[in-house]
mmCIF file of all heavy atoms in Angstrom:
data_model
loop_
_atom_site.group_PDB
_atom_site.id
_atom_site.type_symbol
_atom_site.label_atom_id
_atom_site.label_comp_id
_atom_site.label_asym_id
_atom_site.label_seq_id
_atom_site.Cartn_x
_atom_site.Cartn_y
_atom_site.Cartn_z
ATOM 1 N N ALA A 653 -54.577 -21.522 -17.821
ATOM 2 C CA ALA A 653 -55.704 -20.721 -17.456
ATOM 3 C C ALA A 653 -55.782 -19.415 -18.221
ATOM 4 O O ALA A 653 -56.787 -18.759 -18.318
ATOM 5 C CB ALA A 653 -55.659 -20.427 -15.925
ATOM 6 N N SER A 654 -54.630 -19.005 -18.821
ATOM 7 C CA SER A 654 -54.659 -17.736 -19.564
ATOM 8 C C SER A 654 -55.404 -17.877 -20.881
ATOM 9 O O SER A 654 -55.705 -16.826 -21.521
ATOM 10 C CB SER A 654 -53.221 -17.329 -19.891
ATOM 11 O OG SER A 654 -52.615 -18.247 -20.861
ATOM 12 N N TRP A 655 -55.872 -19.020 -21.246
ATOM 13 C CA TRP A 655 -56.605 -19.176 -22.478
ATOM 14 C C TRP A 655 -58.108 -18.920 -22.331
ATOM 15 O O TRP A 655 -58.868 -18.848 -23.338
ATOM 16 C CB TRP A 655 -56.478 -20.581 -23.086
ATOM 17 C CG TRP A 655 -55.151 -20.798 -23.608
ATOM 18 C CD1 TRP A 655 -53.981 -21.055 -22.972
ATOM 19 C CD2 TRP A 655 -54.707 -20.834 -25.021
ATOM 20 N NE1 TRP A 655 -52.815 -21.214 -23.825
ATOM 21 C CE2 TRP A 655 -53.344 -21.067 -25.054
ATOM 22 C CE3 TRP A 655 -55.483 -20.642 -26.181
ATOM 23 C CZ2 TRP A 655 -52.580 -21.114 -26.262
ATOM 24 C CZ3 TRP A 655 -54.689 -20.725 -27.323
ATOM 25 C CH2 TRP A 655 -53.368 -20.910 -27.420
ATOM 26 N N GLY A 656 -58.593 -18.606 -21.176
ATOM 27 C CA GLY A 656 -59.977 -18.261 -20.968
ATOM 28 C C GLY A 656 -60.306 -17.979 -19.537
ATOM 29 O O GLY A 656 -59.534 -18.330 -18.609
ATOM 30 N N TYR A 657 -61.304 -17.307 -19.348
ATOM 31 C CA TYR A 657 -61.726 -16.933 -17.962
ATOM 32 C C TYR A 657 -62.038 -18.111 -17.093
ATOM 33 O O TYR A 657 -61.789 -18.079 -15.922
ATOM 34 C CB TYR A 657 -62.987 -15.986 -18.023
ATOM 35 C CG TYR A 657 -62.720 -14.686 -18.731
ATOM 36 C CD1 TYR A 657 -63.336 -14.349 -19.896
ATOM 37 C CD2 TYR A 657 -61.823 -13.825 -18.180
ATOM 38 C CE1 TYR A 657 -63.110 -13.111 -20.443
ATOM 39 C CE2 TYR A 657 -61.552 -12.620 -18.754
ATOM 40 C CZ TYR A 657 -62.261 -12.256 -19.941
ATOM 41 O OH TYR A 657 -62.049 -11.117 -20.613
ATOM 42 N N GLN A 658 -62.586 -19.224 -17.670
ATOM 43 C CA GLN A 658 -63.013 -20.365 -16.850
ATOM 44 C C GLN A 658 -61.887 -21.463 -17.028
ATOM 45 O O GLN A 658 -62.242 -22.604 -16.586
ATOM 46 C CB GLN A 658 -64.290 -20.947 -17.360
ATOM 47 C CG GLN A 658 -65.375 -19.815 -17.298
ATOM 48 C CD GLN A 658 -65.638 -19.347 -15.905
ATOM 49 O OE1 GLN A 658 -65.676 -20.093 -14.895
ATOM 50 N NE2 GLN A 658 -65.896 -17.973 -15.813
ATOM 51 N N GLY A 659 -60.796 -21.197 -17.495
ATOM 52 C CA GLY A 659 -59.744 -22.255 -17.697
ATOM 53 C C GLY A 659 -59.940 -22.907 -19.041
ATOM 54 O O GLY A 659 -60.731 -22.500 -19.852
ATOM 55 N N VAL A 660 -59.389 -24.098 -19.199
ATOM 56 C CA VAL A 660 -59.395 -24.793 -20.441
ATOM 57 C C VAL A 660 -60.339 -25.958 -20.347
ATOM 58 O O VAL A 660 -60.310 -26.670 -19.289
ATOM 59 C CB VAL A 660 -57.942 -25.307 -20.838
ATOM 60 C CG1 VAL A 660 -58.032 -26.103 -22.067
ATOM 61 C CG2 VAL A 660 -57.100 -24.137 -21.010
ATOM 62 N N ASP A 661 -61.288 -26.136 -21.269
ATOM 63 C CA ASP A 661 -62.100 -27.243 -21.290
ATOM 64 C C ASP A 661 -61.435 -28.334 -22.093
ATOM 65 O O ASP A 661 -60.756 -28.007 -23.067
ATOM 66 C CB ASP A 661 -63.575 -26.880 -21.930
ATOM 67 C CG ASP A 661 -64.286 -26.010 -21.008
ATOM 68 O OD1 ASP A 661 -64.112 -26.065 -19.781
ATOM 69 O OD2 ASP A 661 -65.112 -25.209 -21.637
ATOM 70 N N GLY A 662 -61.729 -29.589 -21.818
ATOM 71 C CA GLY A 662 -61.215 -30.619 -22.673
ATOM 72 C C GLY A 662 -60.317 -31.581 -21.861
ATOM 73 O O GLY A 662 -60.196 -31.510 -20.673
ATOM 74 N N ASP A 663 -59.629 -32.499 -22.661
ATOM 75 C CA ASP A 663 -58.938 -33.479 -22.040
ATOM 76 C C ASP A 663 -57.455 -32.958 -21.635
ATOM 77 O O ASP A 663 -56.772 -32.609 -22.601
ATOM 78 C CB ASP A 663 -58.760 -34.634 -23.068
ATOM 79 C CG ASP A 663 -57.829 -35.812 -22.474
ATOM 80 O OD1 ASP A 663 -57.743 -35.919 -21.316
ATOM 81 O OD2 ASP A 663 -57.298 -36.463 -23.347
ATOM 82 N N PRO A 664 -57.125 -32.862 -20.456
ATOM 83 C CA PRO A 664 -55.809 -32.366 -19.956
ATOM 84 C C PRO A 664 -54.711 -33.150 -20.611
ATOM 85 O O PRO A 664 -53.671 -32.574 -20.977
ATOM 86 C CB PRO A 664 -55.773 -32.594 -18.539
ATOM 87 C CG PRO A 664 -57.259 -32.497 -18.150
ATOM 88 C CD PRO A 664 -57.953 -33.218 -19.244
ATOM 89 N N ALA A 665 -54.774 -34.392 -20.802
ATOM 90 C CA ALA A 665 -53.727 -35.242 -21.418
ATOM 91 C C ALA A 665 -53.474 -34.830 -22.845
ATOM 92 O O ALA A 665 -52.383 -34.761 -23.370
ATOM 93 C CB ALA A 665 -54.056 -36.786 -21.367
ATOM 94 N N THR A 666 -54.533 -34.479 -23.497
ATOM 95 C CA THR A 666 -54.458 -34.053 -24.987
ATOM 96 C C THR A 666 -53.698 -32.716 -24.996
ATOM 97 O O THR A 666 -52.773 -32.470 -25.792
ATOM 98 C CB THR A 666 -55.799 -33.837 -25.676
ATOM 99 O OG1 THR A 666 -56.480 -35.113 -25.606
ATOM 100 C CG2 THR A 666 -55.704 -33.352 -27.018
ATOM 101 N N ALA A 667 -54.050 -31.827 -24.057
ATOM 102 C CA ALA A 667 -53.378 -30.508 -23.915
ATOM 103 C C ALA A 667 -51.871 -30.699 -23.726
ATOM 104 O O ALA A 667 -51.004 -29.965 -24.296
ATOM 105 C CB ALA A 667 -53.960 -29.635 -22.930
ATOM 106 N N VAL A 668 -51.550 -31.593 -22.870
ATOM 107 C CA VAL A 668 -50.139 -31.804 -22.459
ATOM 108 C C VAL A 668 -49.347 -32.422 -23.690
ATOM 109 O O VAL A 668 -48.283 -31.916 -24.067
ATOM 110 C CB VAL A 668 -50.009 -32.835 -21.361
ATOM 111 C CG1 VAL A 668 -48.532 -33.252 -21.166
ATOM 112 C CG2 VAL A 668 -50.481 -32.218 -20.011
ATOM 113 N N ARG A 669 -50.004 -33.355 -24.488
ATOM 114 C CA ARG A 669 -49.298 -33.882 -25.658
ATOM 115 C C ARG A 669 -49.145 -32.792 -26.679
ATOM 116 O O ARG A 669 -48.031 -32.650 -27.373
ATOM 117 C CB ARG A 669 -50.159 -35.006 -26.261
ATOM 118 C CG ARG A 669 -49.981 -36.268 -25.393
ATOM 119 C CD ARG A 669 -50.549 -37.495 -26.069
ATOM 120 N NE ARG A 669 -51.770 -37.380 -26.890
ATOM 121 C CZ ARG A 669 -53.040 -37.523 -26.462
ATOM 122 N NH1 ARG A 669 -53.190 -37.864 -25.202
ATOM 123 N NH2 ARG A 669 -54.084 -37.318 -27.294
ATOM 124 N N LEU A 670 -50.159 -31.906 -26.933
ATOM 125 C CA LEU A 670 -49.932 -30.828 -27.916
ATOM 126 C C LEU A 670 -48.976 -29.827 -27.405
ATOM 127 O O LEU A 670 -48.112 -29.382 -28.195
ATOM 128 C CB LEU A 670 -51.351 -30.225 -28.134
ATOM 129 C CG LEU A 670 -51.314 -29.043 -29.130
ATOM 130 C CD1 LEU A 670 -50.789 -29.521 -30.498
ATOM 131 C CD2 LEU A 670 -52.757 -28.473 -29.226
ATOM 132 N N TRP A 671 -48.984 -29.426 -26.153
ATOM 133 C CA TRP A 671 -48.069 -28.467 -25.658
ATOM 134 C C TRP A 671 -46.624 -29.002 -25.784
ATOM 135 O O TRP A 671 -45.668 -28.220 -26.106
ATOM 136 C CB TRP A 671 -48.324 -28.201 -24.220
ATOM 137 C CG TRP A 671 -47.514 -27.142 -23.618
ATOM 138 C CD1 TRP A 671 -46.438 -27.287 -22.617
ATOM 139 C CD2 TRP A 671 -47.484 -25.772 -23.936
ATOM 140 N NE1 TRP A 671 -45.893 -26.079 -22.417
ATOM 141 C CE2 TRP A 671 -46.433 -25.119 -23.161
ATOM 142 C CE3 TRP A 671 -48.235 -24.902 -24.776
ATOM 143 C CZ2 TRP A 671 -46.298 -23.827 -23.222
ATOM 144 C CZ3 TRP A 671 -48.010 -23.583 -24.809
ATOM 145 C CH2 TRP A 671 -46.939 -22.964 -24.119
ATOM 146 N N THR A 672 -46.383 -30.283 -25.703
ATOM 147 C CA THR A 672 -45.060 -30.947 -25.748
ATOM 148 C C THR A 672 -44.592 -30.864 -27.174
ATOM 149 O O THR A 672 -43.451 -30.446 -27.443
ATOM 150 C CB THR A 672 -45.097 -32.405 -25.391
ATOM 151 O OG1 THR A 672 -45.577 -32.535 -23.999
ATOM 152 C CG2 THR A 672 -43.849 -33.140 -25.515
ATOM 153 N N LEU A 673 -45.477 -30.934 -28.182
ATOM 154 C CA LEU A 673 -45.058 -30.777 -29.609
ATOM 155 C C LEU A 673 -44.688 -29.348 -29.889
ATOM 156 O O LEU A 673 -43.792 -29.019 -30.582
ATOM 157 C CB LEU A 673 -46.246 -31.279 -30.520
ATOM 158 C CG LEU A 673 -46.508 -32.771 -30.435
ATOM 159 C CD1 LEU A 673 -47.745 -33.097 -31.223
ATOM 160 C CD2 LEU A 673 -45.292 -33.565 -30.976
ATOM 161 N N LEU A 674 -45.488 -28.407 -29.402
ATOM 162 C CA LEU A 674 -45.374 -26.976 -29.614
ATOM 163 C C LEU A 674 -43.947 -26.573 -28.976
ATOM 164 O O LEU A 674 -43.175 -25.888 -29.636
ATOM 165 C CB LEU A 674 -46.499 -26.196 -29.069
ATOM 166 C CG LEU A 674 -47.804 -26.346 -29.827
ATOM 167 C CD1 LEU A 674 -48.942 -25.649 -28.962
ATOM 168 C CD2 LEU A 674 -47.696 -25.702 -31.186
ATOM 169 N N THR A 675 -43.712 -26.919 -27.763
ATOM 170 C CA THR A 675 -42.443 -26.589 -27.103
ATOM 171 C C THR A 675 -41.257 -27.349 -27.781
ATOM 172 O O THR A 675 -40.151 -26.694 -27.880
ATOM 173 C CB THR A 675 -42.458 -26.938 -25.653
ATOM 174 O OG1 THR A 675 -42.719 -28.268 -25.334
ATOM 175 C CG2 THR A 675 -43.471 -26.057 -24.851
ATOM 176 N N ALA A 676 -41.434 -28.505 -28.284
ATOM 177 C CA ALA A 676 -40.299 -29.179 -28.980
ATOM 178 C C ALA A 676 -39.972 -28.416 -30.243
ATOM 179 O O ALA A 676 -38.880 -28.541 -30.760
ATOM 180 C CB ALA A 676 -40.692 -30.660 -29.357
ATOM 181 N N ALA A 677 -40.975 -27.686 -30.827
ATOM 182 C CA ALA A 677 -40.689 -26.820 -32.055
ATOM 183 C C ALA A 677 -40.165 -25.476 -31.645
ATOM 184 O O ALA A 677 -40.018 -24.614 -32.569
ATOM 185 C CB ALA A 677 -42.035 -26.705 -32.846
ATOM 186 N N GLY A 678 -39.954 -25.277 -30.349
ATOM 187 C CA GLY A 678 -39.347 -23.926 -29.922
ATOM 188 C C GLY A 678 -40.445 -22.936 -29.637
ATOM 189 O O GLY A 678 -40.049 -21.768 -29.644
ATOM 190 N N LEU A 679 -41.640 -23.310 -29.427
ATOM 191 C CA LEU A 679 -42.749 -22.266 -29.291
ATOM 192 C C LEU A 679 -43.104 -22.316 -27.763
ATOM 193 O O LEU A 679 -43.018 -23.355 -27.102
ATOM 194 C CB LEU A 679 -43.899 -22.596 -30.117
ATOM 195 C CG LEU A 679 -43.767 -22.662 -31.588
ATOM 196 C CD1 LEU A 679 -44.950 -22.987 -32.307
ATOM 197 C CD2 LEU A 679 -43.162 -21.381 -32.092
ATOM 198 N N PRO A 680 -43.456 -21.211 -27.258
ATOM 199 C CA PRO A 680 -43.528 -19.811 -27.788
ATOM 200 C C PRO A 680 -42.128 -19.337 -27.929
ATOM 201 O O PRO A 680 -41.263 -19.684 -27.256
ATOM 202 C CB PRO A 680 -44.310 -19.120 -26.867
ATOM 203 C CG PRO A 680 -44.158 -19.703 -25.476
ATOM 204 C CD PRO A 680 -43.997 -21.167 -25.811
ATOM 205 N N ASP A 681 -41.959 -18.483 -28.907
ATOM 206 C CA ASP A 681 -40.641 -17.739 -29.089
ATOM 207 C C ASP A 681 -40.931 -16.367 -29.582
ATOM 208 O O ASP A 681 -41.308 -16.079 -30.684
ATOM 209 C CB ASP A 681 -39.869 -18.503 -30.268
ATOM 210 C CG ASP A 681 -38.478 -17.951 -30.445
ATOM 211 O OD1 ASP A 681 -38.185 -16.790 -30.040
ATOM 212 O OD2 ASP A 681 -37.656 -18.528 -31.188
ATOM 213 N N LEU A 682 -40.820 -15.382 -28.603
ATOM 214 C CA LEU A 682 -41.092 -13.989 -28.830
ATOM 215 C C LEU A 682 -40.123 -13.320 -29.770
ATOM 216 O O LEU A 682 -40.404 -12.284 -30.333
ATOM 217 C CB LEU A 682 -41.151 -13.273 -27.526
ATOM 218 C CG LEU A 682 -42.277 -13.750 -26.545
ATOM 219 C CD1 LEU A 682 -42.149 -13.007 -25.225
ATOM 220 C CD2 LEU A 682 -43.650 -13.753 -27.193
ATOM 221 N N ASP A 683 -38.966 -13.982 -29.946
ATOM 222 C CA ASP A 683 -37.930 -13.335 -30.821
ATOM 223 C C ASP A 683 -38.049 -13.727 -32.328
ATOM 224 O O ASP A 683 -37.428 -13.240 -33.197
ATOM 225 C CB ASP A 683 -36.496 -13.634 -30.324
ATOM 226 C CG ASP A 683 -36.276 -13.056 -29.014
ATOM 227 O OD1 ASP A 683 -36.713 -11.990 -28.743
ATOM 228 O OD2 ASP A 683 -35.653 -13.746 -28.136
ATOM 229 N N ARG A 684 -38.838 -14.761 -32.443
ATOM 230 C CA ARG A 684 -39.030 -15.271 -33.882
ATOM 231 C C ARG A 684 -40.033 -14.501 -34.655
ATOM 232 O O ARG A 684 -41.011 -13.958 -34.019
ATOM 233 C CB ARG A 684 -39.520 -16.650 -33.660
ATOM 234 C CG ARG A 684 -39.121 -17.629 -34.796
ATOM 235 C CD ARG A 684 -39.215 -19.094 -34.189
ATOM 236 N NE ARG A 684 -39.659 -20.080 -35.223
ATOM 237 C CZ ARG A 684 -39.995 -21.314 -34.820
ATOM 238 N NH1 ARG A 684 -39.866 -21.703 -33.564
ATOM 239 N NH2 ARG A 684 -40.394 -22.143 -35.718
ATOM 240 N N ASP A 685 -39.983 -14.446 -35.927
ATOM 241 C CA ASP A 685 -40.932 -13.782 -36.817
ATOM 242 C C ASP A 685 -42.358 -14.373 -36.430
ATOM 243 O O ASP A 685 -42.482 -15.606 -36.524
ATOM 244 C CB ASP A 685 -40.589 -13.978 -38.209
ATOM 245 C CG ASP A 685 -41.683 -13.361 -39.142
ATOM 246 O OD1 ASP A 685 -41.719 -12.130 -39.159
ATOM 247 O OD2 ASP A 685 -42.422 -14.140 -39.870
ATOM 248 N N GLN A 686 -43.256 -13.481 -36.150
ATOM 249 C CA GLN A 686 -44.514 -13.986 -35.697
ATOM 250 C C GLN A 686 -45.317 -14.722 -36.847
ATOM 251 O O GLN A 686 -46.099 -15.653 -36.525
ATOM 252 C CB GLN A 686 -45.424 -12.773 -35.277
ATOM 253 C CG GLN A 686 -44.943 -12.268 -33.919
ATOM 254 C CD GLN A 686 -44.898 -13.407 -32.866
ATOM 255 O OE1 GLN A 686 -45.971 -13.992 -32.488
ATOM 256 N NE2 GLN A 686 -43.730 -13.719 -32.380
ATOM 257 N N ARG A 687 -45.119 -14.432 -38.074
ATOM 258 C CA ARG A 687 -45.729 -15.164 -39.159
ATOM 259 C C ARG A 687 -45.224 -16.564 -39.180
ATOM 260 O O ARG A 687 -45.965 -17.574 -39.421
ATOM 261 C CB ARG A 687 -45.491 -14.472 -40.512
ATOM 262 C CG ARG A 687 -46.279 -13.224 -40.728
ATOM 263 C CD ARG A 687 -45.970 -12.528 -41.988
ATOM 264 N NE ARG A 687 -46.334 -13.371 -43.205
ATOM 265 C CZ ARG A 687 -47.520 -13.312 -43.734
ATOM 266 N NH1 ARG A 687 -48.521 -12.512 -43.393
ATOM 267 N NH2 ARG A 687 -47.747 -14.116 -44.832
ATOM 268 N N GLU A 688 -43.905 -16.782 -38.990
ATOM 269 C CA GLU A 688 -43.341 -18.080 -38.954
ATOM 270 C C GLU A 688 -43.822 -18.840 -37.737
ATOM 271 O O GLU A 688 -44.131 -20.000 -37.794
ATOM 272 C CB GLU A 688 -41.773 -17.952 -38.771
ATOM 273 C CG GLU A 688 -41.052 -19.310 -38.784
ATOM 274 C CD GLU A 688 -39.523 -19.185 -38.524
ATOM 275 O OE1 GLU A 688 -39.023 -18.083 -38.816
ATOM 276 O OE2 GLU A 688 -38.970 -20.128 -38.111
ATOM 277 N N VAL A 689 -43.985 -18.189 -36.619
ATOM 278 C CA VAL A 689 -44.549 -18.792 -35.381
ATOM 279 C C VAL A 689 -45.937 -19.338 -35.664
ATOM 280 O O VAL A 689 -46.281 -20.449 -35.314
ATOM 281 C CB VAL A 689 -44.548 -17.811 -34.214
ATOM 282 C CG1 VAL A 689 -45.359 -18.423 -32.955
ATOM 283 C CG2 VAL A 689 -43.111 -17.495 -33.706
ATOM 284 N N HIS A 690 -46.721 -18.468 -36.317
ATOM 285 C CA HIS A 690 -48.192 -18.875 -36.554
ATOM 286 C C HIS A 690 -48.220 -20.107 -37.565
ATOM 287 O O HIS A 690 -48.883 -21.060 -37.372
ATOM 288 C CB HIS A 690 -48.893 -17.759 -37.159
ATOM 289 C CG HIS A 690 -49.197 -16.611 -36.189
ATOM 290 N ND1 HIS A 690 -49.405 -15.319 -36.560
ATOM 291 C CD2 HIS A 690 -49.406 -16.651 -34.824
ATOM 292 C CE1 HIS A 690 -49.606 -14.570 -35.411
ATOM 293 N NE2 HIS A 690 -49.574 -15.430 -34.417
ATOM 294 N N ARG A 691 -47.361 -20.024 -38.549
ATOM 295 C CA ARG A 691 -47.288 -21.153 -39.498
ATOM 296 C C ARG A 691 -46.872 -22.486 -38.818
ATOM 297 O O ARG A 691 -47.423 -23.516 -39.045
ATOM 298 C CB ARG A 691 -46.383 -20.826 -40.702
ATOM 299 C CG ARG A 691 -47.010 -19.945 -41.763
ATOM 300 C CD ARG A 691 -46.141 -19.925 -43.003
ATOM 301 N NE ARG A 691 -46.114 -18.551 -43.379
ATOM 302 C CZ ARG A 691 -45.018 -17.688 -43.390
ATOM 303 N NH1 ARG A 691 -43.879 -18.262 -42.977
ATOM 304 N NH2 ARG A 691 -45.235 -16.409 -43.689
ATOM 305 N N THR A 692 -45.844 -22.358 -37.990
ATOM 306 C CA THR A 692 -45.352 -23.502 -37.251
ATOM 307 C C THR A 692 -46.416 -24.171 -36.373
ATOM 308 O O THR A 692 -46.655 -25.244 -36.375
ATOM 309 C CB THR A 692 -44.057 -23.200 -36.495
ATOM 310 O OG1 THR A 692 -43.108 -22.639 -37.389
ATOM 311 C CG2 THR A 692 -43.554 -24.399 -35.745
ATOM 312 N N ALA A 693 -47.030 -23.170 -35.587
ATOM 313 C CA ALA A 693 -48.010 -23.645 -34.606
ATOM 314 C C ALA A 693 -49.257 -24.291 -35.382
ATOM 315 O O ALA A 693 -49.713 -25.388 -34.990
ATOM 316 C CB ALA A 693 -48.545 -22.472 -33.764
ATOM 317 N N LEU A 694 -49.697 -23.624 -36.400
ATOM 318 C CA LEU A 694 -50.804 -24.239 -37.240
ATOM 319 C C LEU A 694 -50.487 -25.549 -37.861
ATOM 320 O O LEU A 694 -51.275 -26.452 -37.950
ATOM 321 C CB LEU A 694 -51.260 -23.192 -38.305
ATOM 322 C CG LEU A 694 -52.075 -21.971 -37.782
ATOM 323 C CD1 LEU A 694 -52.239 -21.035 -38.819
ATOM 324 C CD2 LEU A 694 -53.344 -22.421 -37.068
ATOM 325 N N GLY A 695 -49.168 -25.711 -38.327
ATOM 326 C CA GLY A 695 -48.778 -26.940 -38.932
ATOM 327 C C GLY A 695 -48.838 -28.043 -37.851
ATOM 328 O O GLY A 695 -49.269 -29.150 -38.164
ATOM 329 N N ILE A 696 -48.326 -27.729 -36.678
ATOM 330 C CA ILE A 696 -48.299 -28.723 -35.609
ATOM 331 C C ILE A 696 -49.786 -29.137 -35.206
ATOM 332 O O ILE A 696 -50.085 -30.313 -35.010
ATOM 333 C CB ILE A 696 -47.580 -28.234 -34.375
ATOM 334 C CG1 ILE A 696 -46.106 -28.066 -34.724
ATOM 335 C CG2 ILE A 696 -47.777 -29.094 -33.076
ATOM 336 C CD1 ILE A 696 -45.225 -27.418 -33.701
ATOM 337 N N ILE A 697 -50.667 -28.133 -35.057
ATOM 338 C CA ILE A 697 -52.045 -28.397 -34.656
ATOM 339 C C ILE A 697 -52.833 -29.102 -35.849
ATOM 340 O O ILE A 697 -53.485 -30.076 -35.532
ATOM 341 C CB ILE A 697 -52.719 -27.075 -34.374
ATOM 342 C CG1 ILE A 697 -52.194 -26.456 -33.169
ATOM 343 C CG2 ILE A 697 -54.266 -27.245 -34.269
ATOM 344 C CD1 ILE A 697 -52.501 -24.918 -32.884
ATOM 345 N N GLU A 698 -52.494 -28.743 -37.048
ATOM 346 C CA GLU A 698 -53.059 -29.496 -38.171
ATOM 347 C C GLU A 698 -52.687 -30.948 -38.161
ATOM 348 O O GLU A 698 -53.555 -31.832 -38.227
ATOM 349 C CB GLU A 698 -52.592 -28.854 -39.452
ATOM 350 C CG GLU A 698 -53.007 -29.521 -40.725
ATOM 351 C CD GLU A 698 -52.434 -28.818 -41.986
ATOM 352 O OE1 GLU A 698 -51.334 -28.410 -41.966
ATOM 353 O OE2 GLU A 698 -53.147 -28.783 -42.998
#
């Protein structure tokens, strides 16, 4: 719900699969260089 005022639109199963990949890559990680975090996240999403 933090991604928007009305919650997230779309397929919840897709969001879970994508979130699983992001967390497997160690994201979110506030201690990691933010440019590296962005590159990693974009690569996974791509």
